[in-house]
Amino acid sequence: MSVHHQEVPSLLERVAATMSGAIGRVREDLAGADPVVRRSERADFQCNAPLALARRVGVRPADLAADVVARLDVEGDAVIASVEPSGPGFLNVTVTGGAIWDQVAARLADARLGVGATEEGRRVVVDYSAPNIAKEMHVGHLRTTIIGDSLARVAGFLGADVLRQNHLGDFGTQFGMLIQYLDEHPDAAWHQDELAGGASAVSALDGLYRSARAEFDADPGFADRSRARVVALQSGDPRTVAVWQDIVAESERSFSAIYDRLTVLLTPEDSVGESFYNPMLADTVEELVDAGLAVESDGALVFYSREVTGPEGKPVTLMVRKRDGGYGYDTTDLATIRYRLRELKANRLIYVTDSRQALHFQLVFEAARRAGWLTDGVTAEHAAYGTILGPDGTPFKTRAGGTVRLMDLLDDAVSRARAAVTEKNPGLDPVELDRIAESAGIAAVKYADLSTSRVKDYSFDVDRMVSLTGNTGVYLQYAHARISSILRHAGDPGTAVDRTVAPEPAERKLGLALDAYGAVVTEVGATLEPHRLCGYLYDLARAFTSFYENCPVLKAEEPVRGNRLALCRLTARTLGHGLGLLGITAPERM
């Protein structure tokens, strides 16, 4: 029975439909009301509708609950076994064992685990990572890169046409300064292949930029030559542009090394730097002026918000064009949103940047709406996130007080993971140990980030992250490897599920947990909150552990053994798939 790309309705949805029908039969004026069905500790599901709706129709919740039960015909129902009134107006719903096994079989038979494609037909732009050319990626780039990548994966799985956009900082006065300095110091080494000891090109360029900056501040002659070089770059002087392109290419190589290590989907094809929008800035400004949205103020052009007021009740502004005729990143972001809506034909825009830019994006979205670029049926969302703190709860810095290089942070996590894995499994082959340590260290970092609600700050505590117990990426990887090991020992008997077997409590709980996967993934696609998926996977791994402790798998007799192997197989696939949506590898052996 193959139900490819056919969504498998969850038991929760099926119970809700039945309860909704009964409520409508009790009172016509309540037809179509939300039956408020949730998972419950006391039964499989709880229907809270009588409590929620009774006041609306002026009856006692307990009476409405009793009427709903009277109108339910569960005799011979394939899904609902029983409904019991409880408390002040709740209904406790128990589903049939057969229904649970049917769901396991249907999800197992489907390539998508029965998850619907709710984003089909949408073109989604996800703007994330955005490092600066000629600068090292540091801890500040971690969250945008990891969260953005997970959101791109989820949207893609849900059927969207996803365009990943890496909005690189590749334009501005600092490049004139750097190119001029390189011109005057031809012996400076900064290409990857000229550098010793695995140093990166961006690290070398970063150092050269600092020297250029110092010379710029100390020598007016060099400052003038640097400014002339900016003009040369902006007007397309071939020699200057060639050096700039070389700097961009070397920087991209360094970024790719980090993206590969983080198993992030970004490639150089996804890079669209600020320079790309430069030719569009004048037209964008002209359009805003023509629409009466950009108005003069002290020789500059500004956009006044109608939605946000600052101190003294004055409207907050975007700087559309500076007094000297130059443009800043307000203008670039306006040109960017206009391009994505008009040329890329996106109908959902997701910007993954830190919370401090919330006001900026609110104003950009408002301007785009008032300019008529952002229309109904198109959404623009700022997926804002909090700050990474050190273990002591203050912003994360090196001992010397500098920003932490991203590569150093990953190296540290991998070496701690190596120590944790060696302790648990001392006899591992060194090559295997390297593979597992790398996979576990990266998983630890990504999962710690994604499992925190993105709007909150979180503490970067490597020892906690690489722990093999508790809500960590490594714990989930171990759970996946453990189930894979059970399945290897079982050989491969088909996936026949016998629906007549009465499920044990731990089987029932695991089956219900597996059945909720589609709803969780769909919710992450809508809310842009990957921590909901992390929480689900952690609960699933715990439900599996409890099942495995209470229900022998390999020693069980048929048909019980077949059903338990089906639960193992579906849990392994669901865990592996969910980790994949977070951008985390799910090893079969650890």
Side-chain angles (χ1 to χ4, degrees):
M1 158 184 158
S2 178
V3 272
H4 283 285
H5 309 311
Q6 187 55 49
E7 184 177 352
V8 176
S10 68
L11 287 172
L12 188 145
E13 291 169 299
R14 293 168 69 182
V15 167
T18 303
M19 301 309 288
S20 179
I23 291 164
R25 287 196 295 277
V26 171
R27 306 264 321 207
E28 275 183 18
D29 51 352
L30 294 179
D34 180 357
V36 201
V37 175
R38 304 275 179 271
R39 279 295 305 280
S40 162
E41 290 299 309
R42 291 182 186 80
D44 295 334
F45 297 102
Q46 191 172 56
C47 167
N48 299 343
L51 206 57
L53 299 173
R55 186 179 303 148
R56 210 163 100 188
V57 291
V59 298
R60 286 179 56 235
D63 294 345
L64 183 55
D67 288 346
V68 171
V69 174
R71 281 306 177 95
L72 275 168
D73 179 19
V74 299
E75 195 68 37
D77 189 287
V79 175
I80 296 180
S82 69
V83 180
E84 307 285 336
S86 155
F90 301 119
L91 294 171
N92 286 340
V93 182
T94 303
V95 295
T96 63
I100 289 178
W101 295 125
D102 287 344
Q103 294 297 105
V104 169
R107 291 191 184 280
L108 209 42
D110 183 46
R112 293 177 54 84
L113 299 169
V115 182
T118 48
E119 291 284 320
E120 211 151 37
R122 289 181 92 174
R123 174 165 263 204
V124 179
V125 169
V126 187
D127 179 320
Y128 67 109
S129 198
N132 290 314
I133 292 295
K135 285 208 162 28
E136 293 246 40
M137 283 179 78
H138 56 78
V139 70
H141 295 110
L142 185 66
R143 299 207 74 183
T144 167
T145 305
I146 291 176
I147 295 168
D149 202 61
S150 178
L151 296 177
R153 287 169 186 269
V154 170
F157 172 64
L158 291 174
D161 171 19
V162 177
L163 298 175
R164 297 181 299 273
Q165 299 277 285
N166 195 354
H167 191 83
L168 298 174
D170 65 353
F171 219 64
T173 47
Q174 70 272 33
F175 290 102
M177 205 184 293
L178 178 58
I179 293 169
Q180 189 59 34
Y181 186 86
L182 293 175
D183 202 33
E184 296 180 17
H185 298 82
D187 51 348
W190 57 276
H191 289 84
Q192 195 74 57
D193 47 19
E194 306 167 335
L195 299 169
S200 72
V202 277
S203 169
L205 285 165
D206 215 343
L208 291 167
Y209 170 70
R210 279 176 210 171
S211 308
R213 176 89 239 182
E215 197 162 327
F216 184 92
D217 293 340
D219 175 358
F222 177 74
D224 289 342
R225 295 195 296 281
S226 294
R227 288 191 194 94
R229 186 64 79 162
V230 176
V231 175
L233 177 59
Q234 288 175 343
S235 58
D237 166 59
R239 229 187 91 225
T240 304
V241 169
V243 180
W244 173 77
Q245 285 171 334
D246 197 9
I247 292 170
V248 170
E250 285 289 320
S251 301
E252 286 258 28
R253 279 173 65 181
S254 297
F255 301 153
S256 287
I258 285 190
Y259 295 148
D260 290 349
R261 201 164 175 199
L262 280 171
T263 60
V264 159
L265 299 171
L266 285 170
T267 66
E269 287 69 57
D270 301 318
S271 296
V272 191
E274 291 168 1
S275 57
F276 175 81
Y277 302 102
N278 201 51
M280 307 172 199
L281 301 181
D283 289 351
T284 304
V285 171
E286 194 178 333
E287 205 173 311
L288 292 169
V289 170
D290 291 346
L293 294 173
V295 293
E296 211 208 327
S297 166
D298 296 337
L301 282 174
V302 298
F303 163 80
Y304 286 106
S305 172
R306 283 184 193 154
E307 296 173 11
V308 192
T309 48
E312 297 157 27
K314 291 187 175 141
V316 177
T317 59
L318 278 174
M319 175 64 71
V320 176
R321 192 174 68 210
K322 297 178 189 165
R323 203 176 297 167
D324 63 6
Y327 305 111
Y329 76 102
D330 285 358
T331 323
T332 306
D333 277 343
L334 289 165
T336 303
I337 194 169
R338 173 175 169 261
Y339 175 80
R340 288 172 179 171
L341 294 166
R342 203 173 268 178
E343 307 301 324
L344 298 181
K345 308 273 190 276
N347 40 30
R348 187 181 192 188
L349 301 177
I350 300 169
Y351 289 82
V352 188
T353 74
D354 79 51
S355 308
R356 289 172 301 202
Q357 296 186 38
L359 174 62
H360 167 75
F361 282 109
Q362 193 180 342
L363 298 175
V364 168
F365 298 162
E366 182 192 345
R369 256 194 311 278
R370 285 170 57 192
W373 308 330
L374 189 54
T375 51
D376 292 346
V378 178
T379 54
E381 295 156 276
H382 178 215
Y385 55 81
T387 310
I388 299 183
L389 307 171
D392 62 351
T394 62
F396 198 38
K397 294 266 191 276
T398 60
R399 287 223 172 91
T403 48
V404 179
R405 289 175 64 233
L406 199 41
M407 223 22 139
D408 292 344
L409 185 141
L410 299 179
D411 286 341
D412 186 29
V414 169
S415 78
R416 303 284 181 93
R418 180 180 280 108
V421 172
T422 307
E423 194 177 322
K424 189 175 165 97
N425 200 341
L428 269 179
D429 166 68
V431 177
E432 188 71 346
L433 176 61
D434 282 347
R435 182 189 64 78
I436 293 172
E438 180 70 22
S439 159
I442 301 300
V445 170
K446 292 179 89 165
Y447 188 84
D449 194 303
L450 292 167
S451 59
T452 310
S453 166
R454 66 173 157 72
V455 293
K456 294 190 176 140
D457 300 343
Y458 79 94
S459 288
F460 197 92
D461 177 348
V462 180
D463 290 328
R464 200 192 69 230
M465 288 177 183
V466 300
S467 166
L468 310 178
T469 56
N471 189 4
T472 66
V474 191
Y475 169 72
L476 292 179
Q477 285 186 314
Y478 258 106
H480 183 268
R482 196 165 120 218
I483 307 170
S484 302
S485 159
I486 296 165
L487 293 170
R488 276 197 302 278
H489 285 114
D492 193 33
T495 48
V497 174
D498 185 330
R499 68 185 311 281
T500 64
V501 173
E504 299 280 336
E507 292 174 312
R508 177 177 281 276
K509 192 170 179 192
L510 180 57
L512 288 168
L514 288 163
D515 195 45
Y517 182 57
V520 172
V521 175
T522 306
E523 190 181 13
V524 172
T527 60
L528 309 179
E529 293 182 333
H531 75 275
R532 294 166 186 258
L533 177 55
C534 296
Y536 167 83
L537 295 173
Y538 179 56
D539 290 343
L540 179 64
R542 284 167 62 200
F544 180 82
T545 300
S546 151
F547 154 76
Y548 191 64
E549 283 165 0
N550 291 292
C551 305
V553 176
L554 300 176
K555 293 200 171 80
E557 299 290 325
E558 291 299 352
V560 171
R561 184 178 192 265
N563 282 20
R564 288 180 181 172
L565 280 171
L567 282 171
C568 291
R569 204 169 265 118
L570 185 56
T571 304
R573 275 186 57 197
T574 305
L575 262 182
H577 191 271
L579 286 170
L581 293 179
L582 298 172
I584 293 173
T585 54
E588 304 223 330
R589 297 170 192 266
M590 273 185 92

